[in-house]
């Protein structure tokens, strides 16, 4: 069973960049597809990005496509989310998630505790 810990959140201004990290332990990291999700106050948690087990394939929500990049380093048991050109509407708690099998926009079994991203206008 894998445990996930996010880091890298913070307060930035609109247009700035931020990189989130998610460190995994307790499982075989390379056997999990990974995803990033976010939840803004008063809203449901939404899919942001996903990456397959090898890191060769990615998929993004339309709202972040072209601005965010998901990547992973299996040797470091870590997945990243590079966020550029941040907008106030990107402000949310960001969660890292893992699932066995193919990458997907849903159906994740393991979740981190989340990291807050605040974007000021």
């Amino acid at each position: 069973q894998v445990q996930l810990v996010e880091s890298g959140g913070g307060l930035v201004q609109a247009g700035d960049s931020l990189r989130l990290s998610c460190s995994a332990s307790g499982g075989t990291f390379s056997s999990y597809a990974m995803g990033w999700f976010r939840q803004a106050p008063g809203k449901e948690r939404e899919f942001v990005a996903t990456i397959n087990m090898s890191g060769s394939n990615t998929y993004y929500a339309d709202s972040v496509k072209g601005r965010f990049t998901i990547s992973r380093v299996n040797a470091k048991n870590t997945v990243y989310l590079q966020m550029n050109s941040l907008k106030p509407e990107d402000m949310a708690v960001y969660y890292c998630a893992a699932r066995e099998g193919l990458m997907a926009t849903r159906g994740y079994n393991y979740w981190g505790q989340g990291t807050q991203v605040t974007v000021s206008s």
Side-chain angles (χ1 to χ4, degrees):
Q1 187 167 350
V2 63
Q3 292 82 45
L4 305 171
V5 178
E6 302 95 335
S7 61
L11 171 63
V12 296
Q13 293 186 333
D16 284 352
S17 297
L18 202 60
R19 189 177 80 158
L20 305 183
S21 299
C22 172
S23 179
S25 62
T28 304
F29 182 67
S30 59
S31 68
Y32 295 95
M34 301 298 296
W36 286 97
F37 293 75
R38 67 187 182 187
Q39 186 168 21
K43 295 187 177 182
E44 293 187 353
R45 186 164 57 192
E46 64 174 359
F47 165 79
V48 174
T50 182
I51 189 167
N52 67 349
M53 291 182 282
S54 68
S56 62
N57 199 12
T58 58
Y59 180 78
Y60 300 91
D62 287 343
S63 58
V64 306
K65 198 173 297 181
R67 299 188 299 122
F68 290 12
T69 302
I70 186 172
S71 62
R72 65 191 295 163
V73 179
N74 285 345
K76 295 185 176 181
N77 291 349
T78 303
V79 62
Y80 304 96
L81 185 68
Q82 177 68 43
M83 305 184 294
N84 298 331
S85 303
L86 281 162
K87 304 175 181 180
E89 50 264 42
D90 294 319
M91 184 164 60
V93 177
Y94 282 72
Y95 297 90
C96 170
R99 72 187 301 270
E100 294 163 321
L102 300 177
M103 67 178 197
T105 63
R106 59 192 300 176
Y108 286 76
N109 307 105
Y110 308 103
W111 296 84
Q113 83 289 347
T115 186
Q116 176 71 48
V117 172
T118 302
V119 183
S120 63
S121 56

